[in-house]
Short mmCIF file of all heavy atoms in Angstrom, two decimals:
data_model
loop_
_atom_site.label_atom_id
_atom_site.label_comp_id
_atom_site.label_asym_id
_atom_site.label_seq_id
_atom_site.Cartn_x
_atom_site.Cartn_y
_atom_site.Cartn_z
N TYR A 182 21.70 -9.85 31.20
CA TYR A 182 21.97 -10.91 32.18
C TYR A 182 23.43 -11.37 32.12
O TYR A 182 23.93 -11.90 33.14
CB TYR A 182 21.12 -12.13 31.95
CG TYR A 182 19.68 -11.98 32.53
CD1 TYR A 182 18.77 -11.05 31.92
CD2 TYR A 182 19.29 -12.56 33.69
CE1 TYR A 182 17.48 -10.95 32.46
CE2 TYR A 182 18.03 -12.45 34.19
CZ TYR A 182 17.13 -11.58 33.58
OH TYR A 182 15.91 -11.39 34.10
N PHE A 183 24.15 -11.12 31.08
CA PHE A 183 25.56 -11.47 30.98
C PHE A 183 26.35 -10.26 30.64
O PHE A 183 26.77 -9.57 31.60
CB PHE A 183 25.73 -12.55 29.88
CG PHE A 183 25.16 -13.93 30.24
CD1 PHE A 183 23.86 -14.20 29.82
CD2 PHE A 183 25.85 -14.82 30.92
CE1 PHE A 183 23.24 -15.37 30.14
CE2 PHE A 183 25.29 -16.03 31.25
CZ PHE A 183 23.98 -16.32 30.87
N SER A 184 26.54 -9.88 29.36
CA SER A 184 27.26 -8.68 29.00
C SER A 184 27.05 -8.38 27.56
O SER A 184 26.82 -9.23 26.77
CB SER A 184 28.78 -8.84 29.28
OG SER A 184 29.33 -9.73 28.35
N PRO A 185 27.12 -7.07 27.16
CA PRO A 185 27.00 -6.74 25.73
C PRO A 185 28.08 -7.37 24.95
O PRO A 185 27.89 -7.70 23.74
CB PRO A 185 27.16 -5.16 25.78
CG PRO A 185 26.72 -4.75 27.17
CD PRO A 185 27.10 -5.89 28.11
N ALA A 186 29.31 -7.53 25.61
CA ALA A 186 30.37 -8.18 24.77
C ALA A 186 30.08 -9.57 24.39
O ALA A 186 30.35 -10.02 23.28
CB ALA A 186 31.67 -8.13 25.64
N LEU A 187 29.37 -10.36 25.30
CA LEU A 187 28.96 -11.71 24.94
C LEU A 187 27.93 -11.66 23.89
O LEU A 187 27.96 -12.48 22.93
CB LEU A 187 28.47 -12.43 26.21
CG LEU A 187 28.00 -13.87 26.03
CD1 LEU A 187 29.03 -14.75 25.32
CD2 LEU A 187 27.49 -14.42 27.28
N ALA A 188 26.98 -10.79 23.98
CA ALA A 188 25.91 -10.69 22.95
C ALA A 188 26.52 -10.47 21.57
O ALA A 188 26.06 -10.96 20.61
CB ALA A 188 24.98 -9.57 23.31
N ASP A 189 27.61 -9.63 21.51
CA ASP A 189 28.23 -9.34 20.24
C ASP A 189 28.95 -10.59 19.65
O ASP A 189 29.12 -10.64 18.42
CB ASP A 189 29.29 -8.24 20.42
CG ASP A 189 28.70 -6.90 20.66
OD1 ASP A 189 27.54 -6.70 20.35
OD2 ASP A 189 29.40 -6.00 21.26
N ARG A 190 29.25 -11.54 20.49
CA ARG A 190 29.82 -12.76 19.94
C ARG A 190 28.91 -13.89 19.68
O ARG A 190 29.26 -14.97 19.27
CB ARG A 190 30.83 -13.30 21.09
CG ARG A 190 31.96 -12.34 21.47
CD ARG A 190 33.20 -13.06 22.11
NE ARG A 190 32.83 -14.04 23.12
CZ ARG A 190 32.71 -13.71 24.41
NH1 ARG A 190 32.91 -12.47 24.83
NH2 ARG A 190 32.41 -14.67 25.27
N CYS A 191 27.60 -13.65 19.90
CA CYS A 191 26.54 -14.62 19.66
C CYS A 191 25.90 -14.40 18.26
O CYS A 191 25.49 -13.28 17.99
CB CYS A 191 25.48 -14.58 20.72
SG CYS A 191 26.12 -15.10 22.35
N ARG A 192 25.69 -15.39 17.55
CA ARG A 192 24.95 -15.27 16.27
C ARG A 192 24.07 -16.54 16.10
O ARG A 192 24.38 -17.61 16.49
CB ARG A 192 25.96 -15.15 15.09
CG ARG A 192 26.70 -13.83 15.04
CD ARG A 192 27.55 -13.73 13.75
NE ARG A 192 28.64 -14.69 13.87
CZ ARG A 192 29.78 -14.46 14.46
NH1 ARG A 192 29.99 -13.32 15.03
NH2 ARG A 192 30.74 -15.39 14.49
N VAL A 193 22.98 -16.31 15.32
CA VAL A 193 22.03 -17.39 15.00
C VAL A 193 22.09 -17.58 13.43
O VAL A 193 21.97 -16.58 12.74
CB VAL A 193 20.63 -17.10 15.52
CG1 VAL A 193 19.70 -18.18 15.05
CG2 VAL A 193 20.59 -17.01 16.95
N HIS A 194 22.25 -18.80 13.00
CA HIS A 194 22.27 -19.08 11.57
C HIS A 194 21.10 -20.03 11.33
O HIS A 194 20.83 -20.96 12.07
CB HIS A 194 23.57 -19.80 11.17
CG HIS A 194 24.86 -19.11 11.44
ND1 HIS A 194 25.53 -18.36 10.54
CD2 HIS A 194 25.57 -19.07 12.58
CE1 HIS A 194 26.65 -17.83 11.08
NE2 HIS A 194 26.63 -18.23 12.41
N LEU A 195 20.44 -19.71 10.22
CA LEU A 195 19.27 -20.54 9.72
C LEU A 195 19.66 -21.18 8.39
O LEU A 195 19.98 -20.40 7.45
CB LEU A 195 18.01 -19.79 9.66
CG LEU A 195 16.74 -20.57 9.31
CD1 LEU A 195 16.38 -21.56 10.40
CD2 LEU A 195 15.53 -19.59 9.15
N VAL A 196 19.57 -22.46 8.30
CA VAL A 196 20.01 -23.21 7.03
C VAL A 196 18.86 -24.13 6.59
O VAL A 196 18.22 -24.69 7.35
CB VAL A 196 21.29 -24.10 7.41
CG1 VAL A 196 21.70 -24.86 6.16
CG2 VAL A 196 22.36 -23.37 8.04
N ASP A 197 18.68 -24.07 5.23
CA ASP A 197 17.66 -24.97 4.61
C ASP A 197 18.09 -25.14 3.22
O ASP A 197 18.61 -24.22 2.58
CB ASP A 197 16.30 -24.42 4.72
CG ASP A 197 15.22 -25.58 4.63
OD1 ASP A 197 15.40 -26.42 3.71
OD2 ASP A 197 14.35 -25.56 5.38
N MET A 198 17.74 -26.32 2.67
CA MET A 198 18.07 -26.64 1.26
C MET A 198 17.15 -25.94 0.27
O MET A 198 17.51 -25.81 -0.92
CB MET A 198 18.11 -28.12 0.99
CG MET A 198 16.70 -28.80 1.17
SD MET A 198 16.77 -30.59 0.95
CE MET A 198 17.38 -30.74 -0.72
N VAL A 199 15.94 -25.48 0.76
CA VAL A 199 15.08 -24.76 -0.16
C VAL A 199 15.44 -23.25 -0.17
O VAL A 199 16.10 -22.77 0.80
CB VAL A 199 13.60 -24.94 0.30
CG1 VAL A 199 13.19 -26.28 0.28
CG2 VAL A 199 13.36 -24.32 1.68
N PRO A 200 15.09 -22.48 -1.20
CA PRO A 200 15.56 -21.16 -1.31
C PRO A 200 14.93 -20.13 -0.47
O PRO A 200 15.43 -19.01 -0.31
CB PRO A 200 15.36 -20.83 -2.78
CG PRO A 200 14.26 -21.81 -3.26
CD PRO A 200 14.43 -22.98 -2.42
N ASN A 201 13.73 -20.48 0.12
CA ASN A 201 13.03 -19.49 0.90
C ASN A 201 12.69 -20.02 2.29
O ASN A 201 12.46 -21.26 2.43
CB ASN A 201 11.71 -19.12 0.19
CG ASN A 201 11.97 -18.46 -1.12
OD1 ASN A 201 12.62 -17.43 -1.19
ND2 ASN A 201 11.43 -18.96 -2.19
N VAL A 202 12.65 -19.16 3.29
CA VAL A 202 12.07 -19.53 4.55
C VAL A 202 10.57 -19.66 4.44
O VAL A 202 9.95 -19.14 3.48
CB VAL A 202 12.33 -18.51 5.63
CG1 VAL A 202 13.85 -18.33 5.88
CG2 VAL A 202 11.76 -17.10 5.34
N LEU A 203 9.98 -20.50 5.26
CA LEU A 203 8.45 -20.76 5.29
C LEU A 203 8.03 -21.10 3.83
O LEU A 203 7.14 -20.43 3.23
CB LEU A 203 7.78 -19.47 5.80
CG LEU A 203 8.10 -19.06 7.22
CD1 LEU A 203 7.35 -17.83 7.63
CD2 LEU A 203 7.80 -20.15 8.22
N ASN A 204 8.63 -22.13 3.31
CA ASN A 204 8.42 -22.49 1.93
C ASN A 204 6.92 -22.67 1.52
O ASN A 204 6.53 -22.51 0.38
CB ASN A 204 9.22 -23.75 1.58
CG ASN A 204 9.36 -23.97 0.09
OD1 ASN A 204 9.75 -23.03 -0.63
ND2 ASN A 204 9.06 -25.13 -0.41
N ALA A 205 6.07 -23.12 2.47
CA ALA A 205 4.66 -23.33 2.28
C ALA A 205 3.86 -22.07 2.19
O ALA A 205 2.68 -22.09 1.85
CB ALA A 205 4.05 -24.35 3.27
N PHE A 206 4.47 -20.95 2.60
CA PHE A 206 3.73 -19.67 2.62
C PHE A 206 3.83 -18.84 1.35
O PHE A 206 4.61 -19.26 0.43
CB PHE A 206 4.29 -18.83 3.80
CG PHE A 206 3.83 -19.24 5.20
CD1 PHE A 206 4.38 -20.53 5.71
CD2 PHE A 206 3.04 -18.49 5.99
CE1 PHE A 206 4.01 -20.90 6.97
CE2 PHE A 206 2.65 -18.89 7.31
CZ PHE A 206 3.18 -20.15 7.73
N SER A 207 3.16 -17.79 1.29
CA SER A 207 3.20 -16.96 0.12
C SER A 207 4.51 -16.20 -0.03
O SER A 207 5.18 -15.97 1.00
CB SER A 207 2.01 -15.99 0.07
OG SER A 207 2.25 -14.99 1.12
N PRO A 208 4.89 -15.69 -1.20
CA PRO A 208 6.12 -14.91 -1.34
C PRO A 208 6.16 -13.66 -0.45
O PRO A 208 7.08 -13.25 0.09
CB PRO A 208 6.16 -14.52 -2.82
CG PRO A 208 5.45 -15.64 -3.51
CD PRO A 208 4.31 -16.04 -2.53
N LYS A 209 4.92 -13.10 -0.26
CA LYS A 209 4.81 -11.88 0.60
C LYS A 209 5.16 -12.24 2.05
O LYS A 209 5.90 -11.54 2.74
CB LYS A 209 3.41 -11.32 0.55
CG LYS A 209 3.23 -10.01 1.36
CD LYS A 209 1.84 -9.48 1.17
CE LYS A 209 1.68 -8.13 1.97
NZ LYS A 209 0.27 -7.61 1.76
N SER A 210 4.65 -13.34 2.57
CA SER A 210 4.95 -13.80 3.93
C SER A 210 6.43 -14.13 4.02
O SER A 210 7.04 -13.82 5.08
CB SER A 210 4.06 -14.97 4.30
OG SER A 210 2.69 -14.58 4.29
N GLN A 211 6.95 -14.86 3.05
CA GLN A 211 8.29 -15.19 3.11
C GLN A 211 9.25 -13.97 3.15
O GLN A 211 10.16 -13.92 3.91
CB GLN A 211 8.70 -16.02 1.85
CG GLN A 211 8.00 -17.37 1.82
CD GLN A 211 8.24 -18.09 0.45
OE1 GLN A 211 8.78 -17.48 -0.43
NE2 GLN A 211 7.64 -19.27 0.35
N ALA A 212 8.87 -12.98 2.37
CA ALA A 212 9.70 -11.74 2.30
C ALA A 212 9.66 -11.03 3.69
O ALA A 212 10.66 -10.58 4.20
CB ALA A 212 9.21 -10.76 1.26
N TYR A 213 8.44 -10.99 4.29
CA TYR A 213 8.30 -10.39 5.60
C TYR A 213 9.15 -11.20 6.66
O TYR A 213 9.94 -10.56 7.48
CB TYR A 213 6.83 -10.33 6.06
CG TYR A 213 6.65 -9.77 7.45
CD1 TYR A 213 6.42 -8.42 7.57
CD2 TYR A 213 6.70 -10.59 8.62
CE1 TYR A 213 6.25 -7.93 8.93
CE2 TYR A 213 6.46 -10.07 9.90
CZ TYR A 213 6.30 -8.68 9.98
OH TYR A 213 6.10 -8.19 11.26
N ALA A 214 9.07 -12.45 6.66
CA ALA A 214 9.85 -13.24 7.60
C ALA A 214 11.34 -13.06 7.40
O ALA A 214 12.14 -12.95 8.34
CB ALA A 214 9.51 -14.73 7.46
N ARG A 215 11.85 -13.03 6.17
CA ARG A 215 13.26 -12.81 5.88
C ARG A 215 13.69 -11.48 6.44
O ARG A 215 14.74 -11.38 7.02
CB ARG A 215 13.49 -12.90 4.38
CG ARG A 215 13.41 -14.27 3.82
CD ARG A 215 13.81 -14.26 2.30
NE ARG A 215 15.17 -13.97 2.11
CZ ARG A 215 16.05 -14.93 1.75
NH1 ARG A 215 15.71 -16.17 1.60
NH2 ARG A 215 17.31 -14.62 1.62
N ALA A 216 12.89 -10.49 6.13
CA ALA A 216 13.24 -9.11 6.64
C ALA A 216 13.26 -9.02 8.14
O ALA A 216 14.21 -8.46 8.75
CB ALA A 216 12.33 -8.09 6.09
N ARG A 217 12.32 -9.61 8.77
CA ARG A 217 12.29 -9.63 10.24
C ARG A 217 13.41 -10.40 10.86
O ARG A 217 14.09 -9.92 11.80
CB ARG A 217 10.91 -10.25 10.69
CG ARG A 217 10.79 -10.26 12.23
CD ARG A 217 10.66 -8.89 12.78
NE ARG A 217 10.59 -8.92 14.26
CZ ARG A 217 10.50 -7.80 14.96
NH1 ARG A 217 10.36 -6.62 14.44
NH2 ARG A 217 10.36 -7.96 16.32
N LEU A 218 13.75 -11.54 10.29
CA LEU A 218 14.86 -12.36 10.81
C LEU A 218 16.20 -11.57 10.63
O LEU A 218 17.05 -11.52 11.48
CB LEU A 218 14.98 -13.72 10.16
CG LEU A 218 13.85 -14.69 10.49
CD1 LEU A 218 13.90 -15.91 9.59
CD2 LEU A 218 13.97 -15.09 11.92
N GLY A 219 16.31 -10.92 9.49
CA GLY A 219 17.53 -10.12 9.20
C GLY A 219 17.62 -8.98 10.19
O GLY A 219 18.73 -8.66 10.61
N LYS A 220 16.51 -8.35 10.52
CA LYS A 220 16.56 -7.28 11.54
C LYS A 220 17.03 -7.72 12.83
O LYS A 220 17.64 -6.94 13.60
CB LYS A 220 15.12 -6.63 11.64
CG LYS A 220 15.11 -5.39 12.46
CD LYS A 220 13.72 -4.78 12.42
CE LYS A 220 13.64 -3.48 13.28
NZ LYS A 220 12.31 -2.89 13.22
N LEU A 221 16.67 -8.99 13.21
CA LEU A 221 17.11 -9.54 14.47
C LEU A 221 18.54 -10.08 14.46
O LEU A 221 19.04 -10.57 15.43
CB LEU A 221 16.11 -10.73 14.79
CG LEU A 221 14.75 -10.32 15.28
CD1 LEU A 221 13.89 -11.54 15.38
CD2 LEU A 221 14.76 -9.48 16.49
#
Side-chain angles (χ1 to χ4, degrees):
Y182 280 73
F183 292 92
S184 68
L187 176 57
D189 290 340
R190 302 201 310 270
C191 295
R192 287 183 295 273
V193 175
H194 303 261
L195 184 64
V196 181
D197 202 316
M198 65 183 298
V199 299
N201 297 304
V202 297
L203 301 177
N204 196 50
F206 287 67
S207 69
K209 182 178 180 181
S210 295
Q211 293 170 359
Y213 178 89
R215 288 181 71 104
R217 180 67 185 181
L218 290 172
K220 187 176 181 180
L221 291 171

